[in-house]
Amino acid sequence: MITVHTIRELREHVRAARASGRRIGFVPTMGNLHDGHISLIQRSIDAGCFTVASIFVNPLQFNDKNDLARYPRTLPEDQARLSSAGCDLLFAPDVDEMYPNGQDQQSIVHVPEVSDGLCGASRPGHFDGVSTVVTKLFNQVLPDVAFFGQKDFQQVAVIRKMVADLCMPLEIVAVPTKRADDGLALSSRNGYLNAEERELATGLYLTLNEIADDFRAGKAIDASLSAATERLNGRGFRTDYLEIRRVDDLKPASLNDADVVILGAAFLGPARLIDNLQVSLNRPGD
Ligand code: PAF
C-alpha cells in the first residue's frame, strides 16, 4: 500500500489506476481503525475496485475542541491494518492541505433538514463539517463508489441527499454495523471506556432492541421512548436522545410506518455512543 499526504500525489495514483481500467472505491475515515472500517475496505476490494482510504481528523466537524484534541491519532497502526487488508492507497493529508486558506475561509456545504435534529441538534455544525469535508474528499479522489458504515445512519442519509442534490457522479454504499459479541457497535469512541463502562456499554443496543419490540407490539411511541430513556439512564448512561424515524427521510415515525429506524445517542463516562436499529414490518394488506 502506498501512503500519500498531498492532493497532487493522490491524483497521480488515482489517475494511473483509472487509466489501467480500474474502478475507484473510496473509504473515508478519521483513523483509529477497527473491524468496522476494515469491513468497508473489504467491500470495496470485493467489488473489484482500486481501493483508496483516507485518514483525516476533520476539525470542521468537531463542535467541541476538547473532543477534537483527544480524538485518537494512530497512523502507523492504521497503515499496518489497511495494508494487510489489501487497501491500495492511503491519503493522509494534514489540516493545511485540506484547508489551505484556513477553516474560517472554507466554503461550506449545508444539507437541509436531514442534518437537523438527532446528532445535528446535539452537535451544532457537525454535519456541515462532514458534508464539506466529504465533498472535498470526493473531488480529490473522484471515486466511482464510496463506502460508509451504517452505524452513522444520519451521516449516511446526509451524504446520500448531498450526492443526489449536487448531482455528484458516484454511488454510495452503506455497509452494516460491525458489533462486538455482546452487541456493542464497534466505534473509535469505545476506546474511551474503562473496563466497568465497557461492561455497561451494551445497554444502548439492548435498549434499542426493547424499543423495537415495543414498536412491533404497537405500543404508543412516546410512552415507549420515555420508558426506554429511564431504563437506559438506569443502566449507567445519560441519554442524549432515543427516537424512532422513518428510514426513507428520517422524519418522525408513527405506528403506521412499516420501515423505521430506532436511533440512540447516550453518554457513558467520557464517551458519547451512538447506535441504531432498523425495523421492517410486513403488515397484512401492505
Ligand atoms: O465517519 C467518519 O469517520 C467521518 O465523519 C468522515 C465521513 C470520515 C468525514 O470526516
Side-chain angles (χ1 to χ4, degrees):
M1 185 186 73
I2 299 165
T3 301
V4 296
H5 301 282
T6 64
I7 299 164
R8 188 183 55 74
E9 295 166 292
L10 167 73
R11 286 196 164 131
E12 275 169 20
H13 287 284
V14 170
R15 207 177 290 127
R18 201 185 296 286
S20 72
R22 304 289 303 277
R23 292 183 85 225
I24 310 299
F26 179 43
V27 179
T29 82
M30 298 204 300
N32 195 234
L33 304 180
H34 49 68
D35 286 353
H37 296 110
I38 299 304
S39 73
L40 307 181
I41 299 287
Q42 197 54 55
R43 279 292 290 269
S44 174
I45 293 170
D46 290 349
C49 294
F50 178 86
T51 298
V52 183
S54 65
I55 294 181
F56 178 61
V57 182
N58 174 32
L60 214 58
Q61 70 188 73
F62 284 81
N63 55 314
D64 173 349
K65 294 302 158 213
N66 293 329
D67 191 21
L68 171 63
R70 73 173 174 163
Y71 200 87
R73 281 127 171 120
T74 53
L75 186 60
E77 292 86 343
D78 293 343
Q79 282 174 306
R81 289 211 70 173
L82 288 169
S83 177
S84 59
C87 181
D88 295 295
L89 180 63
L90 169 63
F91 177 46
D94 65 14
V95 173
D96 288 341
E97 185 71 6
M98 290 299 282
Y99 301 115
N101 302 317
Q103 292 168 60
D104 292 344
Q105 290 303 311
Q106 174 62 50
S107 304
I108 296 298
V109 179
H110 174 70
V111 182
E113 291 212 355
V114 72
S115 297
D116 303 334
L118 305 168
C119 288
S122 319
R123 304 181 67 192
H126 169 67
F127 285 116
D128 286 359
V130 170
S131 316
T132 301
V133 80
V134 170
T135 297
K136 291 181 70 119
L137 289 165
F138 284 173
N139 285 336
Q140 292 157 357
V141 176
L142 298 177
D144 297 289
V145 49
F147 300 85
F148 291 87
Q150 195 75 266
K151 183 179 78 71
D152 299 303
F153 195 94
Q154 188 178 12
Q155 171 170 281
V156 175
V158 167
I159 289 166
R160 280 194 195 285
K161 178 166 166 56
M162 176 183 87
V163 164
D165 285 356
L166 299 180
C167 307
M168 294 180 175
L170 79 160
E171 182 193 348
I172 300 298
V173 173
V175 178
T177 304
K178 276 262 174 199
R179 298 185 180 279
D181 288 344
D182 65 355
L184 176 66
L186 298 191
S187 164
S188 302
R189 291 174 193 274
N190 296 348
Y192 298 155
L193 303 172
N194 65 26
E196 191 190 335
E197 289 157 353
R198 174 62 191 83
E199 291 257 302
L200 296 173
T202 187
L204 178 56
Y205 187 52
L206 179 66
T207 306
L208 297 184
N209 275 284
E210 291 166 347
I211 298 169
D213 290 341
D214 284 352
F215 185 79
R216 287 189 198 96
K219 184 167 174 179
I221 289 178
D222 284 353
S224 165
L225 293 179
S226 60
T229 301
E230 275 189 28
R231 282 197 307 278
L232 186 57
N233 291 340
R235 287 172 176 147
F237 285 80
R238 181 165 59 81
T239 304
D240 181 353
Y241 64 76
L242 289 171
E243 297 213 24
I244 309 182
R245 298 289 184 107
R246 302 197 303 219
V247 166
D248 288 349
D249 56 10
L250 272 188
K251 297 241 163 78
S254 78
L255 289 174
N256 295 325
D257 290 307
D259 288 306
V260 303
V261 54
I262 299 158
L263 301 117
F267 296 91
L268 182 61
R272 179 177 178 278
L273 304 181
I274 63 171
D275 201 354
N276 66 82
L277 184 63
Q278 269 180 256
V279 181
S280 239
L281 301 180
N282 276 325
R283 295 204 168 94
D286 280 355

